[in-house]
Amino acid sequence: MSSSSVNLKAVPGRLTSSYSEVQASRLDVSLPLPSVLKSSFSVVDGPKSSAAGNPEEIAKLFPNLFGQPSAVLNPGGSSVLSKDTSLKIGVVLSGGQAPGGHNVISGIFDYLQHCTSGSTVYGFKGGPAGIMKGKYVELSAEFVYPYRNQGGFDMIASGRDKIETPEQFKQAEETAKTLDLDGLVVIGGDDSNTNACLLAEHFRGKNIKTRVIGCPKTIDGDLKSKEVPVSFGFDTACKLYSEMIGNVMTDARSTGKYYHFVRLMGRAASHITLECALETHPNITIIGEEVAAKKQTLKSVTDYITDIICKRSELGFNYGVILIPEGLIDFIPEVQQLIAELNEILAHDVVDEAGVWKKKLQSQSHELFEFLPPTIQEQLLLERDPHGNVQVAKIETEKMLLQMVETELDKRKQEGKYKRDFLGKTHFFGYEGRCGLPTNFDANYCYALGFGAGALLHSGKTGLISSVGNLAAPVEQWTVGGTALTSLMDVERRHGKFKPVIKKAMVELEGPIQFLGPAANAINNTLLLELGAQA
Amino acid sequence: MSSSSVNLKAVPGRLTSSYSEVQASRLDVSLPLPSVLKSSFSVVDGPKSSAAGNPEEIAKLFPNLFGQPSAVLNPGGSSVLSKDTSLKIGVVLSGGQAPGGHNVISGIFDYLQHCTSGSTVYGFKGGPAGIMKGKYVELSAEFVYPYRNQGGFDMIASGRDKIETPEQFKQAEETAKTLDLDGLVVIGGDDSNTNACLLAEHFRGKNIKTRVIGCPKTIDGDLKSKEVPVSFGFDTACKLYSEMIGNVMTDARSTGKYYHFVRLMGRAASHITLECALETHPNITIIGEEVAAKKQTLKSVTDYITDIICKRSELGFNYGVILIPEGLIDFIPEVQQLIAELNEILAHDVVDEAGVWKKKLQSQSHELFEFLPPTIQEQLLLERDPHGNVQVAKIETEKMLLQMVETELDKRKQEGKYKRDFLGKTHFFGYEGRCGLPTNFDANYCYALGFGAGALLHSGKTGLISSVGNLAAPVEQWTVGGTALTSLMDVERRHGKFKPVIKKAMVELEGPIQFLGPAANAINNTLLLELGAQA
């Protein structure tokens, strides 16, 4: 064992005795398994896989894994998986929380309890750093129990560190060897699963026995493919946000005088905003992908909102709710251009009070800068990250839009085109949703993902992401398998090198797939069940 | 009928066919009544009442109502209330939403249906303005049904107008006469109930038959007395906020790196913050009343928070949740003093960039101003209301405190007393809670308040606030009656005149009364019931 390894005392961080009734009532809710996992199954390989893009580059980056088939669990058949096998499996939570993570771990633990004998599960503490530092806890039934069907990632906590440098791979390797790990399950988003695949490749290349399986996690819903229909946590988070949005909508209708600008989490894609819009039917919804596709500007988005407010006012409605994705401005090229120019200027020049510095901006960027509300202008100039760059993530988009709409309405009022006193309120729904109690859907889905990950490791697979499908059907009919992580990958050029990436899934503008796809019905059924309508 | 009277078409604004399953499931949940309301009862007067303060001034302001007894409904006895009576009753929602308002109206409607014959209920639209403008809707069973047990005030909408001037009293009088109103129920907070009492006095004084009964509404929980143990909506709002706070706490524990500064609604008193703290046990809770009692300054509040953060850091905990009441700065005298000085300076002088104007501040205020984060300084100087005054309500207290804590931690870090990189996040939980689905407690309580208000009007009472007590017992054992509104009043001197006011109930610092008072158990039971633990 490396000198820094710390096997923390296996005492759960939660006492069920202090649980609220609803938390306690969720503890023993039984978790149905897909029927394929309930009796003997065989693990069947599919055809040779390729990559999502640039297969020749992916092949170079993953010489040992590229092309490997995806696997599917088929019922019956003569399973080669021995119940007498004893496995040592590590599990790690990587990145931001998503409801259901504890159930993935429960699923892995239960698989090993039921389908192997004398196995051990190590929970690495605080994310990938726990692997590198050899900081872990050995899981027991007593340790895992309080977390069943509960929100949060606090069973073993999470972290955002990555295993990237040769030294870090070496550290991970040492921990794997020290603990004699047969397998590792990485529960994370697109980056973490890419990292999991690199680790699988590394171990395979060095003939280390540790196999690596990923699990699709992110409330943002942007890690999905044909075989991974949804990332876990998305369902719960959207329902939590929708409840709050619904309340705000009732509030708007009751007072009849406020427009609520609601920013929703989800920076790279607008899935959460779209799903919440489908669930709650707000007055206006801005989808980042649509803004990008239509090449809209901040001015045109502002005008779009203002036009609707004016139209509604003519009809006698002076209130409403507007949903805005957190990442909106990342979808607007002119904003990206302005920020790039600002980063350049702020790095080399003095920003004078009189504004002479603005002459260095290109005319389109200058115009946009002048269009921004003063508080946002100031934020762009003052708040910088340690590298001196403008902190785009800190811009409160909902406040910015509200101020721009106010300015536009003032103008129209002076022109006699709008007659009311506009009142706006802003909200950001984010952290409240990441740690909620998982819905039945997320609880079941995660348990199956974890159970399936156990089966994949047991059958010797590596470099796959646990994949549970046919989600619109009852749980019994769900399919279970693993998708080759390399088949989800493309490359990006960074610092002159090709880097493998799992492409983020964006909102498809060709149609509201949530209405048609398998997840649509599952989500509705879950909503009914979770809120007690089954009683 | 006055020419401006508008009897709006009695079509409900909501279609139950579009309800979510949980909304639909709440519609037909039966509302148990206190047993005294289920068979014949007599209305018994108590002793002559006085006032909460300055009885001689209250007596002058309410010559017709002062001293009248409170009333209690006693079971059995020979009721003088005839089932053949036909009453015309108006109802109005006044001020901000609170979950349960629709059930008060349902209670009034059902009382009249069951205990009188051929009665009519008018719902005044958009708050007291609806009374003055004669804008109303005649309620029918079909109209009321979709709103049973549902959140919001949108059945008839609310408003913040007051009936104050002689002309406005005249308008209200005309509507009362035109509709031949026997009674009016005013559902509102302290101001609205004061207004209700003035209206009752006005009608009594002019021998108009219209009687006025109030109902205690506000999520803030600051309208309560011995006989009115809690205002409706407080229970639901606190539970909604607590759910979100609980999620944020799990999030904090899972990431292990953020301090969440959560501002909670409730400007004048800190009841919501206290109740949420009792429900969720955050790391730090700031109670405005305590800050005032200890004569704390912004600096001492900042130090208090910073000290705990440093202490926790020494113990290895670099995360946490801090609850802050919306009205915090109103409790800090030095801030009030600064704002008063700023209002004076901004009204008469030019604020120069160089800051020479600051010399006009008294030294304590100058020091405080310099202590404030730059963004708050700017907000104080730039954002003014139409009267030119600083907009205190717009200050985001949680962001201000976060910035001050950051500054203090930076200082301590330079001194070697703190070693971490501090990361803070801010939240405001407010509007999401005002319109949630009422808890069982609020649903039942409101229904009893409305039913009781009907009984009080039926028995000819005026100038009382509907009072339901013994709330820790099962609903059957709740007491029902009316408290003389004048007995809750004191006077305040405004513009050289005495104005009657119902004193806001502040957080009692002598002990956490929520642990001991009757509402404590009721709240817990409700939580269990509402979240389905009864199943």
Side-chain angles (χ1 to χ4, degrees):
Chain A
M1 186 177 282
S2 79
S3 60
S4 66
S5 285
V6 193
N7 187 353
L8 294 160
K9 222 175 128 198
V11 174
R14 292 196 188 189
L15 293 173
T16 57
S17 57
S18 72
Y19 270 14
S20 73
E21 281 296 317
V22 68
Q23 284 180 305
S25 76
R26 296 295 294 166
L27 266 179
D28 295 317
V29 168
S30 71
L31 293 163
L33 276 175
S35 52
V36 68
L37 290 172
K38 288 196 280 194
S39 51
S40 75
F41 54 82
S42 51
V43 182
V44 179
D45 285 343
K48 192 172 168 355
S49 70
S50 181
N54 294 293
E56 61 293 343
E57 297 301 332
I58 296 295
K60 277 186 234 161
L61 290 163
F62 297 92
N64 292 290
L65 291 180
F66 178 76
Q68 74 163 334
S70 294
V72 68
L73 272 56
N74 276 351
S78 54
S79 175
V80 290
L81 305 182
S82 163
K83 277 223 170 193
D84 298 330
T85 316
S86 169
L87 295 173
K88 296 199 181 70
I89 305 291
V91 58
V92 67
L93 294 163
S94 184
Q97 286 85 260
H102 288 150
N103 275 27
V104 178
I105 300 176
S106 299
I108 298 165
F109 185 82
D110 287 0
Y111 177 86
L112 294 171
Q113 291 279 306
H114 296 140
C115 305
T116 69
S117 64
S119 291
T120 312
V121 187
Y122 300 105
F124 290 105
K125 305 273 287 183
I131 301 176
M132 297 186 276
K133 293 182 196 157
K135 208 171 153 195
Y136 62 89
V137 61
E138 193 179 317
L139 305 189
S140 63
E142 295 68 39
F143 183 88
V144 172
Y145 176 73
Y147 300 94
R148 281 175 74 97
N149 298 323
Q150 308 295 321
F153 272 11
D154 51 316
M155 187 205 280
I156 53 176
S158 181
R160 293 194 180 276
D161 305 86
K162 281 183 192 158
I163 299 169
E164 286 180 313
T165 64
E167 297 72 41
Q168 290 171 325
F169 275 101
K170 186 82 195 140
Q171 289 173 334
E173 196 183 314
E174 265 177 35
T175 299
K177 283 180 182 166
T178 306
L179 291 177
D180 190 31
L181 283 189
D182 296 292
L184 173 68
V185 182
V186 176
I187 304 169
D190 49 346
D191 276 354
S192 305
N193 274 286
T194 303
N195 212 217
C197 196
L198 287 166
L199 207 54
E201 174 70 25
H202 179 84
F203 289 152
R204 173 68 61 91
K206 296 193 77 171
N207 247 329
I208 294 162
K209 69 167 180 177
T210 314
R211 302 177 291 277
V212 186
I213 297 292
C215 272
K217 172 234 69 172
T218 166
I219 62 163
D220 293 356
D222 55 10
L223 169 56
K224 60 180 169 186
S225 68
K226 194 167 152 274
E227 286 158 307
V228 180
V230 69
S231 56
F232 77 77
F234 175 73
D235 188 68
T236 306
C238 287
K239 276 171 189 152
L240 279 167
Y241 299 145
S242 289
E243 185 194 348
M244 290 193 272
I245 294 164
N247 287 355
V248 169
M249 287 168 70
T250 306
D251 201 289
R253 209 165 54 233
S254 297
T255 47
K257 66 179 179 187
Y258 292 125
Y259 270 93
H260 294 269
F261 287 61
V262 180
R263 172 169 51 119
L264 292 163
M265 226 175 211
R267 182 157 295 282
S270 307
H271 296 287
I272 289 178
T273 301
L274 176 57
E275 178 59 32
C276 290
L278 291 171
E279 288 184 24
T280 62
H281 304 272
N283 304 95
I284 302 173
T285 305
I286 309 293
I287 299 295
E289 288 86 337
E290 197 173 28
V291 167
K294 291 183 176 169
K295 297 192 173 57
Q296 285 187 273
T297 60
L298 260 189
K299 172 87 176 86
S300 68
V301 172
T302 305
D303 285 344
Y304 173 70
I305 296 171
T306 312
D307 288 348
I308 294 176
I309 289 171
C310 290
K311 197 76 180 168
R312 282 178 60 79
S313 183
E314 286 166 23
L315 297 169
F317 304 114
N318 291 289
Y319 60 87
V321 172
I322 301 162
L323 302 189
I324 302 153
E326 186 180 20
L328 175 63
I329 54 179
D330 296 329
F331 288 97
I332 304 179
E334 57 162 6
V335 179
Q336 295 310 309
Q337 175 63 28
L338 169 63
I339 286 163
E341 291 178 33
L342 282 176
N343 281 339
E344 201 60 31
I345 292 169
L346 295 170
H348 302 106
D349 301 297
V350 174
V351 171
D352 58 307
E353 292 259 0
V356 180
W357 68 272
K358 292 181 197 167
K359 288 186 184 155
K360 300 202 179 79
L361 289 169
Q362 292 185 17
S363 71
Q364 186 208 36
S365 293
H366 192 169
E367 209 173 297
L368 173 59
F369 188 81
E370 297 297 352
F371 178 63
L372 293 172
T375 48
I376 302 294
Q377 291 179 347
E378 222 152 278
Q379 216 171 357
L380 287 175
L381 298 179
L382 293 179
E383 301 215 18
R384 321 251 191 101
D385 68 15
H387 309 291
N389 288 326
V390 167
Q391 293 211 58
V392 188
K394 279 212 171 178
I395 294 175
E396 297 171 303
T397 320
E398 75 285 14
K399 292 197 178 155
M400 182 180 77
L401 275 181
L402 169 57
Q403 288 174 44
M404 294 191 304
V405 166
E406 275 174 342
T407 305
E408 179 62 25
L409 283 170
D410 278 348
K411 205 184 106 212
R412 296 196 191 181
K413 202 167 173 178
Q414 278 164 19
E415 297 165 0
K417 293 177 189 161
Y418 178 72
K419 295 172 202 317
R420 302 284 303 200
D421 291 321
F422 175 79
L423 293 169
K425 298 275 173 194
T426 59
H427 309 261
F428 172 46
F429 297 153
Y431 294 90
E432 306 86 328
R434 308 198 312 176
C435 277
L437 276 174
T439 56
N440 281 345
F441 173 78
D442 271 327
N444 295 338
Y445 181 50
C446 288
Y447 192 65
L449 285 171
F451 216 90
L456 294 171
L457 287 173
H458 193 184
S459 66
K461 297 295 179 189
T462 191
L464 305 182
I465 183 168
S466 183
S467 309
V468 174
N470 197 27
L471 296 176
V475 176
E476 288 68 32
Q477 296 165 38
W478 286 1
T479 59
V480 181
T483 305
L485 278 163
T486 47
S487 76
L488 306 178
M489 287 188 195
D490 197 345
V491 286
E492 272 181 13
R493 195 95 189 157
R494 289 186 200 157
H495 305 295
K497 277 186 182 172
F498 282 119
K499 283 270 185 188
V501 288
I502 297 178
K503 285 277 226 185
K504 281 185 195 293
M506 307 306 280
V507 168
E508 301 273 351
L509 297 174
E510 298 305 306
I513 59 161
Q514 276 81 347
F515 273 146
L516 306 171
N521 292 329
I523 280 171
N524 271 331
N525 289 332
T526 311
L527 180 60
L528 307 191
L529 287 166
E530 208 253 325
L531 296 173
Q534 79 276 32
Chain B
M1 188 178 280
S2 80
S3 60
S4 66
S5 287
V6 192
N7 187 353
L8 295 160
K9 223 175 127 197
V11 174
R14 292 198 188 188
L15 294 172
T16 57
S17 57
S18 71
Y19 270 14
S20 73
E21 281 296 316
V22 67
Q23 284 181 304
S25 76
R26 295 295 296 165
L27 266 180
D28 295 318
V29 168
S30 72
L31 294 162
L33 277 175
S35 52
V36 67
L37 291 172
K38 288 197 277 193
S39 52
S40 74
F41 54 81
S42 52
V43 182
V44 179
D45 286 343
K48 192 171 168 357
S49 71
S50 181
N54 293 295
E56 60 294 344
E57 296 302 331
I58 297 294
K60 277 186 231 162
L61 290 163
F62 297 92
N64 292 290
L65 292 180
F66 178 77
Q68 74 162 334
S70 294
V72 68
L73 271 57
N74 276 351
S78 52
S79 174
V80 291
L81 306 182
S82 163
K83 278 224 169 191
D84 298 331
T85 315
S86 169
L87 294 173
K88 295 196 181 74
I89 305 292
V91 59
V92 68
L93 294 162
S94 185
Q97 285 84 259
H102 288 149
N103 274 26
V104 178
I105 301 177
S106 298
I108 298 167
F109 185 82
D110 287 0
Y111 177 86
L112 294 171
Q113 291 277 307
H114 295 140
C115 304
T116 67
S117 63
S119 290
T120 312
V121 186
Y122 299 106
F124 289 105
K125 306 271 287 183
I131 302 176
M132 297 188 276
K133 293 180 193 159
K135 209 171 153 194
Y136 62 90
V137 60
E138 193 180 316
L139 305 189
S140 64
E142 295 68 37
F143 183 88
V144 172
Y145 176 73
Y147 300 94
R148 280 174 74 97
N149 297 324
Q150 308 295 322
F153 273 10
D154 50 317
M155 186 206 282
I156 53 175
S158 180
R160 293 196 179 275
D161 305 87
K162 281 184 192 159
I163 299 169
E164 286 181 313
T165 65
E167 297 73 41
Q168 290 171 326
F169 275 101
K170 187 80 195 143
Q171 289 172 335
E173 195 182 313
E174 266 177 35
T175 299
K177 283 180 182 166
T178 304
L179 291 176
D180 191 31
L181 284 189
D182 295 293
L184 173 68
V185 181
V186 177
I187 303 168
D190 49 347
D191 275 355
S192 305
N193 275 287
T194 304
N195 212 219
C197 196
L198 287 166
L199 207 54
E201 174 70 23
H202 179 83
F203 288 151
R204 174 67 62 90
K206 296 194 78 174
N207 247 327
I208 294 162
K209 70 167 178 177
T210 314
R211 300 176 293 275
V212 186
I213 297 292
C215 273
K217 172 232 69 171
T218 167
I219 63 163
D220 294 354
D222 56 9
L223 170 56
K224 60 180 169 184
S225 67
K226 193 166 152 274
E227 287 159 306
V228 180
V230 68
S231 56
F232 77 78
F234 175 73
D235 189 68
T236 307
C238 287
K239 276 170 190 154
L240 280 166
Y241 298 144
S242 290
E243 186 193 348
M244 291 193 272
I245 294 164
N247 287 355
V248 169
M249 286 169 72
T250 306
D251 201 288
R253 208 164 55 231
S254 297
T255 46
K257 66 178 177 185
Y258 292 125
Y259 270 93
H260 295 268
F261 287 61
V262 180
R263 172 170 50 120
L264 292 163
M265 227 178 212
R267 184 157 294 282
S270 307
H271 296 287
I272 289 178
T273 301
L274 175 57
E275 178 59 32
C276 290
L278 291 170
E279 287 183 23
T280 63
H281 303 275
N283 304 94
I284 302 174
T285 304
I286 309 292
I287 299 295
E289 288 86 337
E290 197 173 27
V291 167
K294 292 182 175 169
K295 297 195 174 55
Q296 285 188 272
T297 60
L298 261 188
K299 174 88 177 84
S300 67
V301 172
T302 305
D303 285 344
Y304 173 71
I305 296 171
T306 312
D307 288 348
I308 295 176
I309 290 170
C310 290
K311 196 78 181 168
R312 281 179 61 78
S313 184
E314 286 165 23
L315 298 169
F317 304 115
N318 291 289
Y319 60 88
V321 173
I322 300 163
L323 303 189
I324 301 154
E326 186 181 20
L328 174 63
I329 53 178
D330 296 329
F331 287 97
I332 304 180
E334 58 162 6
V335 179
Q336 296 310 309
Q337 173 66 25
L338 168 63
I339 285 162
E341 289 178 35
L342 281 176
N343 282 339
E344 199 62 30
I345 292 168
L346 294 170
H348 301 107
D349 301 298
V350 174
V351 171
D352 57 308
E353 293 259 1
V356 180
W357 67 271
K358 291 181 197 166
K359 290 187 183 154
K360 299 202 179 77
L361 289 170
Q362 293 184 16
S363 72
Q364 185 207 37
S365 294
H366 192 170
E367 208 174 296
L368 174 59
F369 188 83
E370 297 297 353
F371 178 63
L372 293 172
T375 49
I376 303 291
Q377 289 179 348
E378 222 154 277
Q379 215 171 358
L380 287 175
L381 297 178
L382 293 178
E383 300 215 19
R384 320 250 193 102
D385 69 14
H387 309 291
N389 288 326
V390 168
Q391 293 212 57
V392 187
K394 280 212 169 178
I395 295 175
E396 297 171 302
T397 321
E398 75 285 15
K399 292 196 178 156
M400 182 181 76
L401 275 182
L402 169 57
Q403 289 174 44
M404 295 191 303
V405 166
E406 275 173 343
T407 305
E408 178 63 25
L409 283 170
D410 278 349
K411 205 183 106 211
R412 296 195 191 183
K413 202 167 171 177
Q414 279 164 18
E415 297 165 358
K417 294 178 191 161
Y418 177 73
K419 295 172 201 318
R420 302 285 302 201
D421 290 319
F422 175 79
L423 292 169
K425 297 275 173 194
T426 59
H427 309 261
F428 172 47
F429 297 153
Y431 293 91
E432 306 86 327
R434 308 198 314 175
C435 277
L437 276 175
T439 55
N440 282 345
F441 173 78
D442 271 329
N444 295 338
Y445 181 50
C446 287
Y447 192 64
L449 285 171
F451 216 89
L456 294 172
L457 287 172
H458 192 186
S459 67
K461 297 295 179 190
T462 191
L464 305 182
I465 184 167
S466 183
S467 310
V468 173
N470 197 27
L471 296 175
V475 176
E476 289 67 33
Q477 295 166 37
W478 286 0
T479 59
V480 180
T483 305
L485 279 163
T486 47
S487 77
L488 306 177
M489 288 187 194
D490 196 344
V491 286
E492 272 182 12
R493 195 97 190 157
R494 288 186 200 157
H495 305 296
K497 277 186 183 172
F498 281 120
K499 283 268 186 189
V501 288
I502 297 177
K503 285 278 225 184
K504 282 186 194 292
M506 308 307 279
V507 167
E508 302 272 352
L509 297 174
E510 299 306 306
I513 58 162
Q514 277 82 346
F515 272 146
L516 305 171
N521 291 330
I523 280 170
N524 271 332
N525 288 333
T526 311
L527 181 60
L528 307 190
L529 286 167
E530 208 251 326
L531 296 173
Q534 80 276 34

